[in-house]
Amino acid sequence: QKGRLKAILTKSFMFQALSNKELAAVIEAMQEREEGDKVRIINQGEQGDEMFVIESGTLECFVSDGKGSEIMVKVCGPGDVVGELALLYSCPRKASVETKGRCILWALDRQTFTHFVRDAAVRSRERREAFLRSVELLASLSDVERSKLVDSLTVQRFTKDEMLVRQGDEGHTFFIVEEGTAVATLDTPGGAPRQVKSYTAGDYFGELSLIRNQPRAASVIATSDGVALTVDRKSFYRLMGNLQDKMEGRSQQYRTA
């Protein structure tokens, strides 16, 4: 279980700045909780005392519409972290969170979070927001939109020669290269794959499959060790839908390469 928790937490920007000793202390402090269906674990407007990591099951996030009803804004699954923002910024809960079916969660209390995680997480978040401002595609996003995007990012570390995207596979993820390099290749009948594009820090890929709801148009292979920031399909549509025309225009690079 501790190994699974470590793998989950190291994908979150908040925990990346921790030393191995600090991360081990955080994991040791986490408490396992098993919840049934339709249990409200977070209530919008309340002060938060815990954050949760999902080991199994599904959580649904709701916000009030101001008229006595709620709107579901996000669905979270295994590996996702919820409730961290209230601890990070000492602010009321921004949404309510409820289980959908049986869930196994790991809870971290405010005191441990503040002692080990908070300052490091703030620094990491500021660094990541600054990096996203340098990405040409995201230059038109407002500070609020960029902040929401940071909240939705997952960190994926990769190694040289790792296949990040395979041509023909279904696409579920959008990638932004934070560190390292990669290349895009196209399969050719009876021959070796043809390189059509290279990527360095600030470049992105995987968008066309999501925009067009089609299989991956090319493979992407890492040419060094590195780090990618990834966005899942639902968050991509919700946060980056207004950038689709700009991303579509870039598809010509694959055709003319």
Side-chain angles (χ1 to χ4, degrees):
Q1 290 177 330
K2 290 183 179 180
R4 293 199 301 272
L5 278 175
K6 183 176 182 179
I8 291 170
L9 293 180
T10 51
K11 292 181 181 179
S12 171
F13 78 89
M14 289 189 303
F15 297 93
Q16 282 194 319
L18 299 182
S19 67
N20 289 334
K21 184 177 180 180
E22 290 170 330
L23 185 60
V26 167
I27 292 173
E28 190 66 31
M30 300 187 82
Q31 299 294 315
E32 184 177 8
R33 283 176 46 177
E34 184 173 341
E35 303 286 2
D37 187 31
K38 295 190 180 301
V39 176
R40 186 65 59 107
I41 62 170
I42 291 176
N43 290 293
Q44 184 176 353
E46 292 185 352
Q47 294 297 320
D49 294 321
E50 296 176 301
M51 57 154 281
F52 302 90
V53 175
I54 306 171
E55 180 175 343
S56 64
T58 301
L59 298 180
E60 296 179 331
C61 304
F62 301 88
V63 296
S64 171
D65 65 359
K67 301 177 183 178
S69 298
E70 293 181 321
I71 302 169
M72 188 172 69
V73 294
K74 188 176 182 181
V75 177
C76 301
D80 288 336
V81 179
V82 297
E84 75 282 7
L85 297 183
L87 306 188
L88 188 60
Y89 299 112
S90 297
C91 61
R93 300 292 198 186
K94 298 298 185 183
S96 297
V97 181
E98 184 174 290
T99 60
K100 183 181 181 183
R102 176 179 172 274
C103 294
I104 296 178
L105 312 172
W106 289 87
L108 180 66
D109 64 275
R110 176 185 287 276
Q111 183 177 354
T112 304
F113 181 91
T114 300
H115 181 73
F116 287 106
V117 183
R118 184 175 177 180
D119 289 346
V122 169
R123 291 193 299 270
S124 179
R125 183 185 183 87
E126 290 173 347
R127 178 175 61 83
R128 200 133 275 154
E129 287 186 345
F131 169 73
L132 292 183
R133 280 194 293 272
S134 73
V135 177
E136 181 183 359
L137 171 69
L138 308 177
S140 62
L141 294 181
S142 68
D143 288 343
V144 172
E145 290 171 328
R146 193 176 295 109
S147 179
K148 290 181 178 178
L149 180 58
V150 170
D151 292 339
S152 298
L153 292 174
T154 298
V155 178
Q156 179 175 329
R157 298 185 180 277
F158 56 82
T159 57
K160 183 179 179 181
D161 298 325
E162 181 177 345
M163 179 83 68
L164 301 175
V165 167
R166 187 180 300 277
Q167 184 175 344
D169 284 356
E170 184 178 355
H172 299 286
T173 309
F174 171 71
F175 297 79
I176 303 171
V177 180
E178 184 178 38
E179 299 174 14
T181 58
V183 295
T185 64
L186 288 176
D187 293 338
T188 57
R194 177 169 59 95
Q195 181 176 325
V196 294
K197 186 166 177 58
S198 60
Y199 302 100
T200 59
D203 291 332
Y204 59 92
F205 58 89
E207 75 285 359
L208 297 182
S209 181
L210 303 184
I211 293 172
R212 300 172 178 174
N213 199 28
Q214 295 176 348
R216 297 294 196 187
S219 296
V220 178
I221 303 167
T223 52
S224 73
D225 295 349
V227 178
L229 307 178
T230 67
V231 182
D232 63 43
R233 179 185 290 271
K234 288 184 179 179
S235 297
F236 177 85
Y237 289 137
R238 177 168 55 89
L239 299 171
M240 305 181 67
N242 61 334
L243 301 175
Q244 288 190 15
D245 288 345
K246 188 173 183 178
M247 288 185 280
E248 272 280 9
R250 204 187 71 147
S251 66
Q252 297 298 321
Q253 296 179 16
Y254 295 108
R255 297 169 183 163
T256 58

